[in-house]
Amino acid sequence: MNPTSTNYQQLLLNLDYLKLKQMTLHLDEVLDFSVHNELSIIDTLIKLTSYEIDVREQNMTQAMVKVGAFPHRKEIRDFDFTFQPSINQQQILDFLTLRFLEANENIVFLGPSGVGKTHLATSIGIAAAKKRTSTYFIKCHDLIQNLKRARLENRLESRLKHYSKYKLLIVDEIGYLPIEAEDAKLFFQLIDMRYEKKSTILTTNANFNTWDEVFQEAKLANAILDRVLHHATVVSIVGDSYRLKNHLTKENE
Ligand code: ADP
Ligand code: MG
């Protein structure tokens, strides 16, 4: 210890050495509060360390949301349930408790374009990431392209393992583009690896009875559906496109 420095200065140096930035920033305020309210040393330390913990938790949460690769940051508060009365709001709120993750259950959002499938899937994904659940959002087409590239480069196994590790994987837009049977096998492998171990949220505009066409092989489509739907809640949305609603209101203005 530098003999000329005060205890207070030494404490600042220690906090700086330990990279406890928030505790440094809030030190004076906490010391004033502690003196004024005659806090015990323990209570003072709790107050001071809480500042550091709060900021670290916030940073961690932000990092998890970033890793999730969501298409946007739309959350459930941005969703207008009155516009889409076929959706059971309580059911969506129940998903947001993340209970389905505990049971490794899947969710399938089924419906035409613009009814909010991606928005709802993203909201649930962000809620999971905020709770520090490893979550990843990817469009079906991109997922398959990635797996194909990995197969070409002889690293399919590790790529499949990578995608199978997420506690929650969101696969968006199944059925918009047809998938060749050879590529559908890759998707099946991933679904099979996650089956009963991890939760997957799927969004699709294709009714299940047309998945033969999407995956271009009935046996494969059935095997995928079988595993996806075994422990799943299907949210079937019937209604108007929200995109169209905005378009129409703009035109009417
Ligand atoms: P889908 O994936 O079903 O095609 P999206 O979730 O992408 O539809 O929704 C299209 C756009 O409309 C997005 O910008 C989304 O945030 C918005 N949207 C859809 N439904 C609602 C709603 N009920 N309330 C608020 N915004 C909505
Ligand atoms: Mg969508």
Side-chain angles (χ1 to χ4, degrees):
M1 204 204 285
N2 179 345
T4 60
S5 69
T6 64
N7 286 351
Y8 172 74
Q9 283 164 338
Q10 186 60 46
L11 176 56
L12 282 174
L13 288 173
N14 287 4
L15 292 176
D16 184 52
Y17 184 82
L18 293 169
K19 298 192 167 50
L20 297 166
K21 207 168 156 192
Q22 296 306 317
M23 287 171 59
T24 306
L25 277 173
H26 292 277
L27 183 61
D28 285 339
E29 167 206 324
V30 171
L31 290 177
D32 286 342
F33 185 88
S34 172
V35 169
H36 193 255
N37 296 286
E38 299 183 30
L39 286 198
S40 68
I41 289 180
I42 287 184
D43 286 339
T44 309
L45 283 174
I46 286 177
K47 203 168 161 56
L48 193 59
T49 49
S50 293
Y51 277 111
E52 195 68 42
I53 290 170
D54 286 352
V55 169
R56 285 191 193 192
E57 293 221 321
Q58 274 169 28
N59 290 346
M60 181 83 87
T61 301
Q62 274 170 15
M64 292 299 286
V65 173
K66 213 168 163 193
V67 166
F70 302 105
H72 46 63
R73 295 285 161 88
K74 288 192 182 171
E75 299 191 43
I76 207 63
R77 59 169 173 266
D78 308 309
F79 195 82
D80 178 6
F81 281 95
T82 60
F83 183 77
Q84 218 55 264
S86 76
I87 297 174
N88 175 345
Q89 184 173 355
Q90 287 311 318
Q91 186 180 43
I92 306 296
L93 296 181
D94 183 49
F95 294 147
L96 288 162
T97 67
L98 308 178
R99 200 160 65 90
F100 73 101
L101 287 178
E102 302 300 318
N104 300 317
E105 285 170 3
N106 302 326
I107 303 171
V108 183
F109 289 106
L110 169 68
S113 184
V115 292
K117 302 182 297 296
T118 302
H119 187 140
L120 291 171
T122 301
S123 306
I124 298 166
I126 291 176
K130 281 186 171 175
K131 291 270 179 237
R132 295 207 228 156
T133 303
S134 67
T135 303
Y136 193 68
F137 180 105
I138 190 163
K139 282 189 183 182
C140 184
H141 180 73
D142 295 339
L143 174 68
I144 288 181
Q145 292 309 312
N146 284 344
L147 291 176
K148 271 172 80 166
R149 199 175 322 127
R151 184 179 52 191
L152 262 177
E153 293 168 0
N154 278 327
R155 48 181 185 83
L156 178 61
E157 219 29 59
S158 81
R159 205 62 201 151
L160 281 169
K161 262 196 201 132
H162 169 84
Y163 287 125
S164 68
K165 274 188 187 143
Y166 291 107
K167 179 90 181 137
L168 175 60
L169 183 70
I170 302 172
V171 184
D172 196 31
E173 295 187 355
I174 293 174
Y176 280 90
L177 297 169
I179 300 159
E180 284 174 30
E182 214 27 59
D183 303 338
K185 276 185 198 147
L186 301 176
F187 187 65
F188 167 77
Q189 276 178 277
L190 177 61
I191 292 296
D192 190 50
M193 281 167 94
R194 296 182 61 81
Y195 175 60
E196 293 190 325
K197 292 195 188 80
K198 302 281 164 60
S199 293
T200 309
I201 299 180
L202 307 174
T203 83
T204 182
N205 65 338
N207 276 314
F208 301 130
N209 57 11
T210 68
W211 280 36
D212 299 12
E213 291 154 41
V214 172
F215 292 102
Q216 301 184 17
E217 197 189 297
K219 246 165 78 184
L220 211 50
N222 282 340
I224 292 169
L225 273 176
D226 212 43
R227 282 159 184 76
V228 166
L229 296 180
H230 186 193
H231 309 285
T233 309
V234 178
V235 180
S236 199
I237 311 174
V238 280
D240 295 329
S241 165
Y242 196 84
R243 290 194 190 99
L244 200 58
K245 174 211 153 184
N246 286 341
H247 180 68
L248 289 174
T249 41
K250 261 183 208 138
E251 283 207 335
N252 291 341
E253 273 165 12

